[in-house]
Amino acid sequence: MLTESSCLPEPHPAEEGAPRLARMARRTLLALSTAALVLTPACGVGTGPGAPVETSEDPAVQWRAFRDRFVAPDGRVVDTGNGGISHSEGQGYAMLFAEAFEDRPAFERIYHWTRTNLRRPDGLHAWRYRPDARKPVEDTNNATDGDLYIAWALLRAAERWLEPGWRREGQRMAQAILQKLVVEVDGRTLLLPAAFGFQHADRVVLNPSYYAFPALAALSRAVPDRAWGRVMDDGLGVLRATRFGRWGLPADWVEIGRGGSTVQPAEGWPARFSFDAVRVPLHLAWSGLTNEPALRAATQFWNDPWMPVRPAWTDLRSGHLAPYSAPAGIEAVADVATATGMNRLMNRPLPAIARSPDYYSAALAMLARLALRENPRAQFATAQGAAA
């Protein structure tokens, strides 16, 4: 959640390492953009040798279960685990799901509600809507993960249903993200969690799970700019540097000291690998970046033979585990990350949406299904199997 006090972005010029970073950025952008070309909306599940596949379930049925449970008739996505509020994140997720499973009526309802109630003049979206409040949108700050998913969903929907207006809106959002959320700090190109509140005189606060690499790659194709490559390349660098504790896991929130003096879990949040950070290995698996240390560390954690069940979180300072097991959504992410990272078949169906206790768990379970269907490793394995 966006809880820090607001402050204006303070971009800093790149230092002497910038040319090297630029060369690395071009390589990363090329790799991610090539991978993204095989992230075909509503593509078939991979069935070739070594391709991670689901067994005995229809993901489209799970989308309808999600829609019927969490999407109101007017298109508002209801966070049932958080007092019935709504977030730009949830609206973006649901738009993506509706596009992926060819549900245009649902897409149009969800996008109409989002545009009507959350959209800001700059094309980004307010992060929270409280239906019972006198003023439902009290804080007009955005949330970068929500905007990335909304823009990505618009670009995909424009391609699927041949709607140039949606493409223009997705491009406008991409340009706003570059202008307001991408900043240069001590030679790094960083993706802020929101337009305001996360840059301080001595540190910058980041959310590693906001680096949604499949979405970033799609936006880079829609609005070509070298900054996307730097964002993705330096984002991977952030993920490699911000791993903590016994298993070397990413934290939900991290802070980087000005001048690179410190890298640590951010003050003001529990130092945990938890409900935010589980999206880090999900995004890496979705992009086919299976050799990244954060994905491998999460896979080792989730498959640690000393743990009788997968815990909901771990404290990165003390090593303590949650006293309760991971909900179905984290189980789904763990299964997909494991299968994708190890390039092996799924040996059981992903948890059904009905097993998720609330909206966020169900959203993770749906995201895991899309990551499984669309990750480049599954697609390339399928192609190799067909050619054999």
Side-chain angles (χ1 to χ4, degrees), residues 59-348:
V61 171
Q62 299 304 311
W63 153 241
R64 291 192 289 272
F66 181 97
R67 179 196 64 195
D68 295 346
R69 185 175 168 189
F70 302 108
V71 182
D74 63 355
R76 183 171 78 89
V77 181
V78 180
D79 184 346
T80 58
N82 201 10
I85 67 176
S86 296
H87 311 271
S88 59
E89 156 218 285
Q91 299 301 126
Y93 288 164
M95 287 170 61
L96 190 72
F97 303 154
E99 182 280 325
F101 297 109
E102 303 186 67
D103 190 345
R104 180 166 182 165
F107 182 92
E108 291 183 343
R109 288 197 305 274
I110 298 162
Y111 178 46
H112 180 266
W113 187 93
T114 305
R115 183 181 177 90
T116 301
N117 293 279
L118 299 181
R119 187 174 179 274
R120 306 186 331 178
D122 61 5
L124 303 180
H125 297 79
W127 72 281
R128 183 179 65 185
Y129 180 94
R130 301 176 65 180
D132 298 332
R134 183 182 60 83
K135 186 178 180 182
V137 178
E138 299 170 308
D139 182 357
T140 60
N141 205 7
N142 76 301
T144 300
D145 59 340
D147 282 318
L148 284 172
Y149 269 89
I150 292 169
W152 187 24
L154 283 167
L155 293 171
R156 290 171 56 132
E159 183 176 356
R160 177 182 294 285
W161 291 306
L162 304 179
E163 288 287 351
W166 291 345
R167 178 170 177 81
R168 288 193 296 270
E169 188 60 27
Q171 290 173 319
R172 183 186 179 196
M173 288 188 66
Q175 290 168 341
I177 289 168
L178 283 175
Q179 292 168 1
K180 294 181 178 292
L181 304 173
V182 174
V183 296
E184 298 291 329
V185 178
D186 298 325
R188 289 190 179 104
T189 304
L190 300 179
L191 184 69
L192 294 175
F196 304 104
F198 294 89
Q199 290 203 85
H200 304 276
D202 60 340
R203 71 194 190 282
V204 179
V205 176
L206 302 176
N207 188 314
S209 75
Y210 283 19
Y211 283 88
F213 291 106
L216 290 166
L219 269 58
S220 76
R221 297 193 305 276
V223 179
D225 192 297
R226 291 182 180 180
W228 295 116
R230 297 195 300 272
V231 167
M232 289 186 278
D233 188 68
D234 289 349
L236 291 176
V238 167
L239 295 185
R240 293 165 190 159
T242 54
R243 298 171 53 238
F244 310 99
R246 171 182 171 185
W247 289 278
L249 295 165
D252 289 338
W253 292 88
V254 301
E255 61 182 46
I256 301 176
R258 297 282 186 181
S261 56
T262 58
V263 178
Q264 61 187 17
E267 294 182 13
W269 286 274
R272 291 177 178 173
F273 173 73
S274 182
F275 296 95
D276 267 307
V278 297
R279 295 180 297 180
V280 171
L282 175 72
H283 289 142
L284 293 172
W286 201 334
S287 301
L289 296 169
T290 53
N291 291 324
E292 284 299 314
L295 174 58
R296 293 186 173 275
T299 298
Q300 292 170 359
F301 170 71
W302 281 321
N303 295 280
D304 191 319
W306 294 101
M307 294 190 298
V309 297
R310 286 171 175 159
W313 49 262
T314 181
D315 187 290
L316 298 174
R317 291 196 172 102
S318 68
H320 291 163
L321 302 175
Y324 49 92
S325 61
I330 292 181
E331 285 281 0
V333 171
D335 285 348
V336 168
T338 299
T340 305
M342 297 183 178
N343 198 30
R344 71 187 192 191
L345 295 173
M346 296 284 293
N347 57 13
R348 60 180 179 179

